[in-house]
Amino acid sequence: MAFPSSTRYLIIGAGVHGLSTAYHLALQLKARNQGRGEDILVLDKTALGAGASGIACGVVRNNYFQPAMRELMAHNVDVWESDPKAFSYHPVGYMQISPESMHSDIATIAEQQKEIGYESVFVEGKQESTDYMKTIVHDWQAQGITSVLHEKRGGYANNTGAVYGLGGKAEAEGVRIMTGVTVQGFESGNGSSAITAVHTNRGTIQCDYVIVAAGPWVKSVWEMLELPRAVTIKGADGALHENVPTWVFWSLQEGTLGVDPNLQQTNDGGMPPVIHVDTDVPLYSCVDGSLVTDQMWGVYYKPDFHFGGVQGGAAPFKVEADPDDVAVDPYGPESPDFVVGEEFAHMWVSALAHCQKRFEGQMPKYKNEPSGGIGAFSPDSFPVFDVFRENCYVIADSNHGFKMIGVGKLVAEEICGARSKLMEPFRFSRYVEGKLHPVSNSPFPWS
Ligand SMILES: Cc1cc2nc3c(=O)[nH]c(=O)nc-3n(C[C@H](O)[C@H](O)[C@H](O)COP(=O)(O)OP(=O)(O)OC[C@H]3O[C@@H](n4cnc5c(N)ncnc54)[C@H](O)[C@@H]3O)c2cc1C
């Protein structure tokens, strides 16, 4: 393909968001007689799925304490369900299994899921929770659990399968996807901040509209756009918190136990829901019985043929280095700094054994290969979906994003002129206006 000198819509990033936006924008333009897929160009510095979308665990759930997140996730699940085959989506459901300290948060979620018609079962009480879990997996043995929220929709999708599915759909609509092209800067003119062209390592491309879907690289593109490096946040008490960095990094910890995925079948021989457990009971090593932690801990896991075992993760940790000094490249398993180590493996497999007897003695099967990766997080750890510089839509999902396959659809509608109520709670102005999302008692920054 000859290197293009211009395009109407230029999308930076071929991950879930860039490709979903490309595909849905092509559909929108056609439906509204405003253009066609050939008007859209997606650029990626490496390849499809080279970022977070290509390494994500792929969990799709509705369980969020924040009402705006739940409403948005219900929309995303609709999109997953629209073509499960193309998106490599496994609608096995999802379970949030919690201790008493999270009981009332989860009860609120269950209540509101009813209100928005999102099917789930909510089980309360210690014995009731254990009994319910044993009807699904007979060897359930986790302690300290007092509620189970079983979402009947959601589940997980195979990371690269979903990305290639989206890419194929976009290309079938005429979208051009070019890899090996790095965006290095933006051009504007005539006294306006609107972007008129994008500089790349292969030349300059004139464009009418830019969509940024750069995942963990959002900080560098944000800086190229000359957007604020720090924000002022109005707290719940009305006090202003100045100079909060716009982007910080967290390291997401995931790994795979290399057992036959069928080991984790349900009592009736099916594939189980994704299991997410948070608890405050002490966790002991499945290797030598020593105390792993007496602090609140949480893990999630599911059998996954794509990863070749039982795959999942634990709570991430904040990268303490100055965000300016954090090297995003090389990314994911190739990073010398941000892959999970023995400590994670020990904790995560011990947690699995704490929950289900079948994982006792399986530590030697942990796949000792690099996994995990970093993510760029916003000041409140929730997404920013907003238009900057008049014609630049930034999709920065703060690591909630693999499941957000439907955000590209809403972005496409907004670009074509329709405002989305679902996207309003995620505007950048919420920080200074103090329109913040409620904070839960979960040990994860993304619940
Ligand atoms: C280990 C891990 C596990 C996760 N698990 C889950 C999960 O189970 N469920 C969930 O919902 N979310 C999960 N997430 C979060 C989720 O993966 C991300 O939120 C989502 O994939 C981001 O998608 P994206 O399209 O914005 O970015 P990415 O998939 O990162 O894609 C960005 C692309 O932009 C390209 N790019 C960057 N800069 C430039 C440039 N200057 N020029 C050209 N191209 C550029 C990159 O090469 C990359 O391909 C996980 C994240 C990690 C790291």
Side-chain angles (χ1 to χ4, degrees):
M1 187 195 297
F3 194 73
S5 58
S6 69
T7 184
R8 281 183 66 197
Y9 299 95
L10 188 146
I11 299 180
I12 305 171
V16 162
H17 290 309
L19 295 172
S20 175
T21 304
Y23 168 57
H24 288 103
L25 186 56
L27 296 183
Q28 281 290 321
L29 291 173
K30 200 153 82 177
R32 293 166 184 252
N33 253 334
Q34 290 178 7
R36 54 205 191 111
E38 285 78 356
D39 296 330
I40 304 165
L41 174 66
V42 180
L43 300 180
D44 199 290
K45 68 189 182 68
T46 311
L48 271 73
S53 305
I55 59 169
C57 175
V59 172
V60 177
R61 66 186 157 105
N62 181 270
N63 170 44
Y64 274 97
F65 183 60
Q66 302 70 25
M69 289 292 279
R70 275 199 303 277
E71 284 174 33
L72 183 58
M73 293 314 163
H75 158 78
N76 289 312
V77 172
D78 287 344
V79 175
W80 284 110
E81 289 173 350
S82 68
D83 196 346
K85 194 162 174 252
F87 298 143
S88 286
Y89 173 57
H90 305 271
V92 291
Y94 172 89
M95 304 184 98
Q96 168 68 46
I97 300 160
S98 316
E100 194 50 27
S101 58
M102 290 174 62
H103 189 155
S104 64
D105 284 2
I106 307 293
T108 315
I109 295 172
E111 196 51 45
Q112 289 172 358
Q113 284 183 342
K114 252 191 227 142
E115 280 163 27
I116 62 169
Y118 195 87
E119 192 190 350
S120 62
V121 171
F122 188 47
V123 181
E124 294 170 275
K126 212 174 203 167
Q127 193 57 48
E128 290 82 349
S129 297
T130 301
D131 292 348
Y132 187 81
M133 289 309 297
K134 284 190 171 192
T135 63
I136 297 169
V137 280
H138 58 82
D139 60 337
W140 185 257
Q141 57 186 12
Q143 302 298 306
I145 300 301
T146 64
S147 73
V148 176
L149 177 68
H150 184 176
E151 299 182 357
K152 295 304 178 108
R153 296 172 68 193
Y156 70 99
N158 303 128
N159 49 30
T160 46
V163 169
Y164 279 95
L166 275 170
K169 278 174 175 277
E171 285 184 324
E173 291 299 325
V175 171
R176 289 170 299 168
I177 304 174
M178 294 189 78
T179 56
V181 185
T182 306
V183 170
Q184 297 172 325
F186 298 93
E187 204 171 292
S188 53
N190 299 330
S192 152
S193 71
I195 293 161
T196 52
V198 168
H199 298 299
T200 79
N201 60 331
R202 296 200 31 210
T204 296
I205 305 173
Q206 311 291 323
C207 56
D208 297 340
Y209 203 99
V210 175
I211 296 111
V212 176
W217 292 268
V218 64
K219 180 175 179 293
S220 64
V221 182
W222 186 265
E223 285 165 10
M224 287 178 212
L225 288 164
E226 297 175 350
L227 296 173
R229 287 167 56 84
V231 293
T232 298
I233 302 183
K234 188 174 178 183
D237 55 358
L240 294 179
H241 305 267
E242 313 270 356
N243 250 331
V244 181
T246 312
W247 302 112
V248 295
F249 293 94
W250 286 61
S251 185
L252 288 86
Q253 307 194 85
E254 292 194 340
T256 304
L257 188 64
V259 292
D260 178 351
N262 288 311
L263 176 73
Q264 178 58 349
Q265 278 181 352
T266 54
N267 297 346
D268 59 7
M271 280 296 142
V274 175
I275 291 183
H276 180 124
V277 183
D278 293 314
T279 184
D280 44 20
V281 301
L283 177 63
Y284 293 98
S285 164
C286 62
V287 178
D288 57 16
S290 61
L291 180 69
V292 176
T293 180
D294 56 3
Q295 304 296 305
M296 179 103 173
W297 55 271
V299 292
Y300 48 94
Y301 58 98
K302 43 97 156 122
D304 191 326
F305 290 91
H306 183 74
F307 279 100
V310 169
Q311 192 269 351
F317 62 86
K318 196 169 178 178
V319 176
E320 294 301 343
D322 184 323
D324 286 344
D325 298 333
V326 173
V328 181
D329 284 308
Y331 187 67
E334 266 112 65
S335 167
D337 305 318
F338 304 114
V339 289
V340 300
E342 273 173 31
E343 205 181 324
F344 164 80
H346 187 205
M347 179 271 163
W348 185 69
V349 179
S350 296
L352 262 54
H354 171 96
C355 295
Q356 290 184 247
K357 194 164 180 54
R358 71 191 73 178
F359 295 117
E360 289 178 1
Q362 303 279 12
M363 187 72 218
K365 297 200 180 130
Y366 182 81
K367 283 195 178 183
N368 209 359
E369 58 195 16
S371 60
I374 55 169
F377 280 69
S378 68
D380 59 356
S381 301
F382 290 106
V384 172
F385 303 133
D386 214 338
V387 178
F388 299 87
R389 302 211 17 194
E390 300 175 46
N391 62 349
C392 178
Y393 207 121
V394 176
I395 307 172
D397 71 27
S398 209
N399 288 271
H400 302 276
F402 182 84
K403 65 181 80 60
M404 289 189 169
I405 198 170
V407 161
K409 186 171 183 208
L410 301 175
V411 169
E413 287 168 10
E414 293 210 311
I415 291 172
C416 291
R419 290 288 277 193
S420 164
K421 253 182 66 188
L422 292 176
M423 301 288 263
E424 285 304 324
F426 302 103
R427 306 301 185 206
F428 190 58
S429 59
R430 72 176 181 271
Y431 297 118
V432 69
E433 290 168 358
K435 293 183 182 162
L436 302 176
H437 296 275
V439 178
S440 78
N441 287 306
S442 157
F444 288 79
W446 54 64
S447 284

